[in-house]
Structure formats: structure tokens, C-alpha cells
Amino acid sequence: MHRENYMNALREDIVDTITRHLTPVAQRYGYSDMPLETNVKWRPMVLVIGNYSSGKSSLINEFLGAKIQDTGQAPTDDSFTVLTYDDSVPETEGIRVVEHRDGKVLLNDPEYPFSTLRKHGQRFAAHFQLKKINSPFLKNLAIIDTPGMLDSITERDRGYDYQEVIGDLAQKAGLVLVLFDAHKAGTVREAYKSIRDTLTAHTSEDRIIFVLNRIDECTTFNDLLRVYGTLCWNLSQITGRKDIPMIRMTYSSNAVAIKRDSASVPSFLPLLENQREDLKQTILQTPRRRLDHLATYLEIHGERLAHYIEALQAFGLEFQSFRIKKMFIGFLISLLGGSLISLIMMTLGSMAAPTILWSVGGVGAGLIMVLWLASVQKRLEYKFRTTRIENLDTLTPVADQTRKDSWSAIRDLVYQHLKKNKGDYSLYDLKLDRFNIRKVNDDATHEIREALSGFQSMSEDDLKKWGKDRLTREAHKKDFPQ
């Protein structure tokens, strides 16, 4: 209990830091339309994807301890289903669905982090749902079951872009399970695209776990080795990696129980029981790993946001320098023009007093300056902006790979923002915001990493003392708000 409280408190602190310090700046300068904490403010999520009939629903039902999701050899469910915890009904009364919400309600409920999925349209909303279940397995996490991937289904047939939805959900998830079954160790077209392109673009490799499911359907150990080898080869071709990613193996104990009655249970299954338990524990450790991911999320967006502001600041400095230079040129031209007007009038034998002649020249100079600012200056500034926006890659230095990755992530954002907005921000405000973001990023991430490092070695007594100290600090804040 104390460890759960510690993890929840640390998660809240990270989300609070993002909410108070990063999001206001990000939305002020167009780095993000949505609050940055939208993707991370809810509970840890496990995304389960795979070919149709790969056993996704059966595996989920086994973890939950009841038949919650429909199962079958043919595609049985074409919905994205969020499975989350509800304790209003005691589990002693039987594990079951306590509450059901459809996609339209779910996408517009601020309690959940799915509002960004509204962009996928009404067809997607009709295939999106949430089930609240009183299973203790879901106490600290949520599971997202997905439609099986096929060769014949296209995004147009589904009515929404399946890959984009998978990418958005993978970005929110703390863990992604990619399931294969013993009968189809190869990959269908949608699975190939998901593994090769979608997942790599929206999440990191350490969050992806490959699972060979339904291994009880291999009749002999040789069959299992053949299937496992085939899957390894396929994954190496898809990922393009020389090292084979780790593949966990599992099966449904319910299916094995049925086979046991017919005496057709493969003899090698007991040897792989530890694989099933390891997969289960890996999933249950998602909340702990989620803290690392949140810390990384804060670091990455803090660094990218600071780089983004740096780019706007660099553009602003160049534009300001260009503007001043051209205005100075316009000023010189106007002085020259005014002087010429006065000299011409004197040459033509004007009898006016010198002061009047120079006054006329001054008025002429002023008119020239106004025309310069209203016409020539604007055209020059427009040309500068257009040319500079089309050549952004020299805007900020990218000396190392970290900076290159950061620039690659924000370049299009900078481009789109500068095209829509003139970028006439206060350079002082940009400098101050950039300094504050870097300071928050350095200080907060240092404290969070220290807390995560110390968490592993903390005893129950340490955690209990920490809990009391935290309550004391919170009470002090309420009594003496800053």
C-alpha cells in the first residue's frame, strides 16, 4: 500500500510540474494545441494489439479472471475497448462489467485522456468503448483491447485510419503487447505496418513486448521451435535489427484445461510456465515503469520546448536585425530625398527663406519614409520571412545527435507556427520563458530521478515515514499558502 501511495504521489508531482510549468508556455507559443499532461494524467495503460485470432481477448480474460471480452477463431470484436477498474462491486460477488460507456461519451469526458482521439471521426467513436470491471488485476492499470489486424481490411473499409489510432494509443500507453499465435507466426499487412512504422514513430522500443500466444496448440516441442524460429526471422525482417527482440511465450490455462480432458496437452507446457508468470509480472510492473516514462516524457518535452522557443527567439533576433537595417536604409534614403528636394528648390531659384526650404525638404523626407515603411519595408520583410521560413535548418545549432533528434521533432511545428504567425513576440519574454523551462526541466528531472532511484531501496518503514512527512507538508501548504 505504501509503495502504491509513493508511486501515485510521484506521478501526481510529475503531472503537476508539466501542468503548471510546461503546458502554459507550450500553448502560448503554439508548441501544442492540447495540454501536454493530457496523454499522461490518467492511470498507466497497456495496449494489446495483434493479428485476428491471436488470442488477445482470451489472454486478457485470463488476466482479469472472468470472460469479459468475446473470443473466437474468427474476428469477434472490431472495437477498441478500454478496460479499467471499478471497486463499487466486491470481487467476491463475481468479476464482471460494472459499467459500460460508449465512445461518444468517453471522447468528451475530461476524466479520461482520450479527447485527442476525437479527430478520428464518428466511425471511430462508434468503435470505441470503455468497460469498468471489478477485477483486482486492473487496480493500478488499464488495458486497451484492439480489433484484430487483417490483410484484407483497409483504412477506407474501417472508416477511420487504423494506424493513426494505434499510434495515438501507443503514445499514451506505458506498455504495448504485440501478440502472434502459433498458426500465424508470420505477419499480415496491417501488423507489418504497425510494427515497422507506427509503433517506432510513437513509442520507444523498451515499451514494446512481442508475445507468441497459444503455444499449447503446438503438438510437439519441435513444432514450437519451428514456429518460434519463423517468428524470430519475420521480426528481424520487419524491424531491420540484427539482434532478435525478446519474444515471450504464453497460452490460455482455460484452453489447456479443456484439452486436459482429452489428454492432448503438450508435454513441454510445464517447462514454460515461468514464461506465463513473467509476462503477467511484466504487465503488473507497468505502473512502476510508467514513472520512468513520465520522467522521460518531462525531460523530452522540456528539452524540445526549450529548443522550440530557442528557434522562435533566433528567428525573432534575425528578423529584428533585418528590420532595423532596412529601416535605417529607408531613413538614409528619406534624408537624401529631403535634401535633394531642398537643393532642387534652391537651384530653381526659389526665393523662400532657407528655413522654409529645409522645412519643405523635411516634409518630403517624412513622406518618403512613410512610403518606405508602408510599401518597400513591408515587401522586404515579407520576402525575408518567406525565404527564412523555407530555410529553417540553420536557425539553431544542432551539434550532436540529441539536438538533431530534438530539431527533427520540432522543425515542422516551428515551420507551421511561423507561417501562421508573424512571430512578433517579445524577445525578452522568449528569453525568460526559455530560461525558466530549462531550469524547471533540470531541477525537476533531477529530483524525480533521485526519487525513482531511492524508491528501489526504501523499506516499508521508510515509505511509511515518507507518507507522514508528505501529509505534514500538504497540511502546512493549506495553512500557509504561498
Side-chain angles (χ1 to χ4, degrees), residues 63-64 85 91 95 133-140 284:
F63 288 142
L64 301 184
Y85 185 61
E91 59 184 276
I95 295 174
I133 305 154
N134 60 337
S135 170
F137 189 85
L138 295 173
K139 189 174 182 180
N140 296 307
L284 291 174

Side-chain angles (χ1 to χ4, degrees), residues 221-236:
F221 191 64
N222 285 337
D223 285 340
L224 176 62
L225 291 178
R226 178 180 55 79
V227 170
Y228 187 87
T230 300
L231 181 56
C232 286
W233 188 88
N234 283 329
L235 287 179
S236 68

Side-chain angles (χ1 to χ4, degrees), residues 241-451:
R241 292 165 47 183
K242 293 182 179 179
D243 56 320
I244 305 299
M246 181 177 179
I247 302 172
R248 289 172 170 82
M249 293 180 284
T250 190
Y251 58 90
S252 169
S253 60
N254 295 327
V256 170
I258 296 173
K259 288 184 177 182
R260 189 169 282 116
D261 295 336
S262 61
S264 60
V265 178
S267 59
F268 58 80
L269 285 186
L271 302 175
L272 299 173
E273 186 63 30
N274 62 326
Q275 288 270 322
R276 296 178 68 246
E277 184 60 27
D278 179 64
L279 177 60
K280 183 177 181 180
Q281 292 304 316
T282 299
I283 296 172
L284 291 174
Q285 285 296 315
T286 301
R288 169 63 185 85
R289 287 196 307 274
R290 177 66 164 167
L291 292 177
D292 289 322
H293 298 157
L294 284 175
T296 302
Y297 184 86
L298 174 60
E299 289 172 344
I300 289 175
H301 282 285
E303 182 61 37
R304 288 178 181 175
L305 182 54
H307 196 172
Y308 180 87
I309 296 174
E310 178 189 340
L312 297 185
Q313 186 181 5
F315 181 87
L317 286 169
E318 289 187 17
F319 185 68
Q320 184 185 70
S321 176
F322 177 86
R323 172 181 282 176
I324 292 172
K325 287 178 181 179
K326 298 309 175 186
M327 287 179 67
F328 182 70
I329 291 173
F331 178 70
L332 292 178
I333 291 174
S334 66
L335 286 179
L336 180 61
S339 300
L340 286 174
I341 291 173
S342 298
L343 290 173
I344 290 172
M345 291 181 67
M346 293 174 63
T347 303
L348 293 176
S350 174
M351 301 302 293
T355 54
I356 296 176
L357 291 175
W358 287 113
S359 296
V360 172
V363 171
L367 291 173
I368 293 172
M369 189 65 187
V370 169
L371 289 172
W372 175 274
L373 293 176
S375 179
V376 179
Q377 180 83 11
K378 283 189 175 181
R379 290 181 182 179
L380 291 174
E381 288 180 3
Y382 176 79
K383 184 177 181 181
F384 172 84
R385 282 175 46 79
T386 302
T387 304
R388 194 66 183 92
I389 289 173
E390 294 299 329
N391 297 276
L392 288 177
D393 291 328
T394 58
L395 199 57
T396 63
V398 284
D400 53 41
Q401 190 59 47
T402 300
R403 292 277 290 182
K404 289 178 182 178
D405 292 341
S406 174
W407 179 245
S408 176
I410 66 170
R411 187 191 185 283
D412 288 344
L413 291 174
V414 174
Y415 177 82
Q416 293 298 333
H417 184 67
L418 290 177
K419 281 199 72 172
K420 294 178 182 177
N421 302 274
K422 292 184 177 180
D424 292 333
Y425 300 113
S426 163
L427 293 178
Y428 174 79
D429 289 341
L430 284 168
K431 183 178 180 180
L432 184 62
D433 285 332
R434 180 185 168 198
F435 172 80
N436 289 335
I437 287 296
R438 288 205 177 279
K439 189 175 188 307
V440 168
N441 195 41
D442 292 341
D443 293 347
T445 52
H446 177 71
E447 291 177 5
I448 291 166
R449 291 300 184 188
E450 278 193 342

Side-chain angles (χ1 to χ4, degrees), residues 31-307:
Y31 175 82
S32 175
D33 294 331
M34 299 293 295
L36 292 178
E37 67 274 10
T38 300
N39 286 334
V40 296
K41 67 181 181 180
W42 202 48
R43 54 180 33 220
M45 291 180 283
V46 178
L47 178 65
V48 183
I49 67 174
N51 301 341
Y52 81 92
S53 77
S54 58
K56 298 188 302 299
S57 297
S58 296
L59 186 64
I60 291 172
N61 289 341
E62 183 152 324
F63 288 142
L64 301 184
K67 187 176 181 181
I68 302 299
Q69 295 292 86
D70 294 331
T71 61
Q73 291 294 329
T76 55
D77 192 349
D78 63 349
S79 293
F80 289 84
T81 305
V82 180
L83 307 168
T84 188
Y85 185 61
D86 188 294
D87 60 358
S88 61
V89 177
E91 59 184 276
T92 53
E93 296 183 13
I95 295 174
R96 61 180 184 270
V97 177
V98 177
E99 183 181 347
H100 183 276
R101 295 190 182 184
D102 63 34
K104 292 182 180 179
V105 174
L106 187 58
L107 293 174
N108 292 283
D109 191 334
E111 178 186 351
Y112 302 102
F114 302 117
S115 58
T116 55
L117 301 179
R118 288 198 296 260
K119 64 183 179 181
H120 298 298
Q122 294 299 317
R123 285 289 297 275
F124 167 72
H127 293 82
F128 189 48
Q129 61 181 336
L130 177 139
K131 296 178 181 178
K132 290 188 173 182
I133 305 154
N134 60 337
S135 170
F137 189 85
L138 295 173
K139 189 174 182 180
N140 296 307
L141 55 86
I143 296 176
I144 305 178
D145 194 8
T146 61
M149 293 182 283
L150 302 167
D151 262 333
S152 59
I153 297 296
T154 65
E155 282 77 9
R156 183 176 299 177
D157 294 329
R158 290 186 188 273
Y160 57 87
D161 193 319
Y162 177 83
Q163 295 298 332
E164 283 193 6
V165 175
I166 290 293
D168 287 345
L169 291 174
Q171 195 171 35
K172 300 176 187 293
L175 188 69
V176 180
L177 301 185
V178 185
L179 266 62
F180 303 90
D181 71 278
H183 294 295
K184 292 183 290 296
T187 53
V188 298
R189 180 177 53 82
E190 283 187 329
Y192 180 94
K193 188 174 182 180
S194 294
I195 298 169
R196 180 76 176 185
D197 302 321
T198 306
L199 294 181
T200 54
H202 291 86
T203 190
S204 54
E205 289 184 5
D206 63 318
R207 300 189 197 184
I208 303 172
I209 293 181
F210 297 103
V211 180
L212 179 58
N213 195 22
R214 298 173 62 182
I215 60 172
D216 56 296
E217 297 184 13
C218 294
T219 55
T220 66
F221 191 64
N222 285 337
D223 285 340
L224 176 62
L225 291 178
R226 178 180 55 79
V227 170
Y228 187 87
T230 300
L231 181 56
C232 286
W233 188 88
N234 283 329
L235 287 179
S236 68
Q237 298 302 303
I238 295 173
T239 61
R241 292 165 47 183
K242 293 182 179 179
D243 56 320
I244 305 299
M246 181 177 179
I247 302 172
R248 289 172 170 82
M249 293 180 284
T250 190
Y251 58 90
S252 169
S253 60
N254 295 327
V256 170
I258 296 173
K259 288 184 177 182
R260 189 169 282 116
D261 295 336
S262 61
S264 60
V265 178
S267 59
F268 58 80
L269 285 186
L271 302 175
L272 299 173
E273 186 63 30
N274 62 326
Q275 288 270 322
R276 296 178 68 246
E277 184 60 27
D278 179 64
L279 177 60
K280 183 177 181 180
Q281 292 304 316
T282 299
I283 296 172
L284 291 174
Q285 285 296 315
T286 301
R288 169 63 185 85
R289 287 196 307 274
R290 177 66 164 167
L291 292 177
D292 289 322
H293 298 157
L294 284 175
T296 302
Y297 184 86
L298 174 60
E299 289 172 344
I300 289 175
H301 282 285
E303 182 61 37
R304 288 178 181 175
L305 182 54
H307 196 172

